[in-house]
Amino acid sequence: MKTVHTAVPADSQQTASRQPADKDKAMRTSKRLSRHIALLGACAMALVLSTGCTPVESFFAGGRAGETSEELRVLVPSVAGGGYDLTARTMVQALADEGTVDADVVVLPGSGGIVGLNRLALERGNPDLLMVMGLGVLGSLEILPSEHTLSDVTPIARLVEEPEAVLVPADSPYKTLADLTQAWVADPSSISIGGGSSEGGPDGLFRLLFARAVGVDPSLSPYRIYDGGGELLPALLTRQVDVAATGIGEYLDQIAAGTVRVLAVSSPERTPAVDAPTMAESGVDVTFTNWRGLMAPPGLSDDQRQHLQNLVRDLAASPRWNELSDRNGWNSAVLTEPEFSAFLAEQSRFVDATLDPPGTY
């Protein structure tokens, strides 16, 4: 399996944005931008094709005449080591082991997935490209400016679901979720929580729900944002943050090695992937599920869209995929069109409602 890393100049920034529908929305968007300005990066064609960038076009060749080549590229819109990256690599490995297609991973991080989304939107008519996405991309679109939205690309399928986890270093003074909650309620500013997504992504949303469930004002507690689990783990181990809110799949090796400890998981029932109680068992009324799916470029024919959906269905039914998914602590949750589009709309409403509950502003 080949991985292609595409550089994006740090000094190129996209300033075009979707316009809020009303003044209240504009105010909320402005406040979110001020909280998340550190995530802003290059996120449009001018950035990806800027002088000094590796040409992305060469990595996405194939299917230009409208024919499916079976040489698939899977685009990861975050840094290597995170949940999107793990999903893409697991997918590529399963496809290779099953002898289905020849697939490679392309890594194009930036702005919580917006750089990758904008690149995908430029690949009109390319049937040999899929982008891994999830709640993190929806959250970034709520918070950050973007040249394109999900309506500019082609939804293919939801693939997996995964619980969030509350993680601490092995030598943390917080041995249980109750220990952490007690300290957090007593002094919200004393507990810094890190996540591999923006506040509108899965880790940030889970933190908001957790804080409100125990009576903590989230604005009084530091939330440190990292671009995926690959950056979050070292921050946790070097004590840049006290706690990590994250998906479990990226940390199973560290959990098994005893480097980090899971205080609780957000699933309604315990997960066999780790030995840890649920949030509810620990006295916190929060149930939350992250998910990941796949989008394709715009302008595909009905046959091309159907081919990609069939590819996902066949993948989900394969023994190798299910073996690897179980190993990563994922639950199969395949949802294709038109149900996937309806799910995306519902999740966008959920993100907006969680970021802006009644009385927030």
Side-chain angles (χ1 to χ4, degrees), residues 80-99:
Y84 292 157
D85 185 52
L86 180 60
T87 303
R89 293 175 191 280
T90 303
M91 180 180 172
V92 167
Q93 182 179 344
L95 290 171
D97 291 348
E98 294 287 339

Side-chain angles (χ1 to χ4, degrees), residues 163-342:
E164 288 278 303
V166 180
L167 287 182
V168 295
D171 59 353
S172 169
Y174 310 117
K175 305 302 182 185
T176 66
L177 192 69
D179 293 339
L180 172 63
T181 300
Q182 183 177 6
W184 201 15
V185 171
D187 185 1
S189 65
S190 69
I191 305 295
S192 61
I193 297 181
S197 76
S198 68
E199 192 170 57
D203 301 345
L205 293 172
F206 173 57
R207 168 190 166 269
L208 289 174
L209 295 172
F210 182 15
R212 291 168 186 152
V214 299
V216 169
D217 182 348
S219 68
L220 301 180
S221 178
Y223 177 56
R224 308 195 190 285
I225 299 168
Y226 300 87
D227 195 355
E231 291 186 356
L232 176 58
L233 177 62
L236 180 66
L237 296 180
T238 57
R239 307 304 190 274
Q240 296 176 47
V241 293
D242 301 304
V243 182
T246 183
I248 61 174
E250 302 146 68
Y251 298 89
L252 292 177
D253 289 343
Q254 289 75 26
I255 294 168
T259 307
V260 296
R261 186 170 64 253
V262 184
L263 298 186
V265 294
S266 67
S267 48
E269 298 178 352
R270 292 195 181 203
T271 173
V274 296
D275 181 18
T278 66
M279 300 287 287
E281 285 180 292
S282 304
V284 179
D285 186 18
V286 171
T287 301
F288 179 86
T289 303
N290 186 18
W291 56 271
R292 297 188 190 97
L294 298 164
M295 307 294 283
L300 301 188
S301 69
D302 291 343
D303 287 346
Q304 289 167 339
R305 289 197 302 272
Q306 190 62 51
H307 173 79
L308 290 172
Q309 291 190 49
N310 289 341
L311 179 71
V312 173
R313 292 190 189 100
D314 291 345
L315 172 70
S318 70
R320 183 56 172 157
W321 168 258
N322 283 281
E323 175 191 349
L324 295 172
S325 294
D326 290 344
R327 187 182 302 173
N328 290 331
W330 299 337
N331 299 316
S332 179
V334 174
L335 193 66
T336 54
E337 286 296 277
E339 291 80 10
F340 183 43
S341 285

